[in-house]
Amino acid sequence: MKEIRKNKWSLSLNQFMVAMLCFLAFGLTGCKSSSLATLKSSVETGKNLLPMDLGNGITMTDMYLSNGSLYYIYEVDEDQVPLASWNDEVIANVKAVIINELKTSAQGDASNAQLIHLCSQTGTDIIFRYKGNQTGIEYDITVGSNEL
């Protein structure tokens, strides 16, 4: 790969181009701000697909960014998924499944890969909120940006 050398600094051509694009497009706000803007745009686009029936009594009803976290909101049909019986072990298992699904979906879907990359790059945690349709019980399962 071609390198641009000046004094003791050395950048690959790709690194140079990325740095210049960030500078030109976003001035002094930096690349992290541009990633956050892209993340916000992705969330707004995703909201247009809601509500989304995910099967097994779970419907995604909302998604939004708040306080440095990306929230996915799910309404749960408690006739199919008894949230009242969830305990720490069930929540840990659900979190493990979520992390596995995020990583697996990122391998097969470019938009999911981009979303995960943006969350990781901006330090944005993902919070999956499950809310019972009968009892109103809520469980938040947080996947930290460092877990992605």
Side-chain angles (χ1 to χ4, degrees):
M1 184 176 294
K2 266 191 166 180
E3 291 189 327
I4 298 170
R5 294 184 185 268
K6 184 173 181 179
N7 299 331
K8 295 180 183 178
W9 298 94
S10 176
L11 293 174
S12 73
L13 187 56
N14 287 344
Q15 290 171 320
F16 177 76
M17 290 177 67
V18 167
M20 288 307 297
L21 285 172
C22 285
F23 178 77
L24 292 172
F26 304 103
L28 299 176
T29 61
C31 293
K32 185 173 180 178
S33 294
S34 69
S35 295
L36 193 54
T38 302
L39 183 57
K40 287 177 183 179
S41 176
S42 297
V43 168
E44 290 307 311
T45 300
K47 288 178 87 125
N48 294 329
L49 303 173
L50 302 176
M52 183 184 303
D53 183 357
L54 303 177
N56 299 319
I58 300 175
T59 303
M60 184 181 201
T61 59
D62 199 7
M63 63 188 299
Y64 58 88
L65 286 166
S66 179
N67 298 321
S69 295
L70 170 58
Y71 287 80
Y72 286 108
I73 309 301
Y74 300 97
E75 181 178 289
V76 178
D77 179 351
E78 292 180 277
D79 289 332
Q80 295 184 50
V81 181
L83 286 181
S85 68
W86 282 22
N87 57 32
D88 291 342
E89 183 180 349
V90 171
I91 292 169
N93 288 337
V94 170
K95 181 175 180 174
V97 168
I98 288 170
I99 291 172
N100 186 52
E101 283 294 316
L102 286 170
K103 290 179 179 180
T104 302
S105 69
Q107 293 171 357
D109 184 333
S111 62
N112 285 341
Q114 180 188 23
L115 180 66
I116 290 168
H117 174 74
L118 289 170
C119 287
S120 182
Q121 188 176 32
T122 60
T124 302
D125 295 337
I126 304 175
I127 299 175
F128 297 84
R129 178 169 291 158
Y130 295 89
K131 183 175 182 178
N133 66 338
Q134 296 170 17
T135 63
I137 292 173
E138 287 186 5
Y139 286 103
D140 285 353
I141 298 177
T142 302
V143 177
S145 61
N146 60 333
E147 298 175 278
L148 298 171

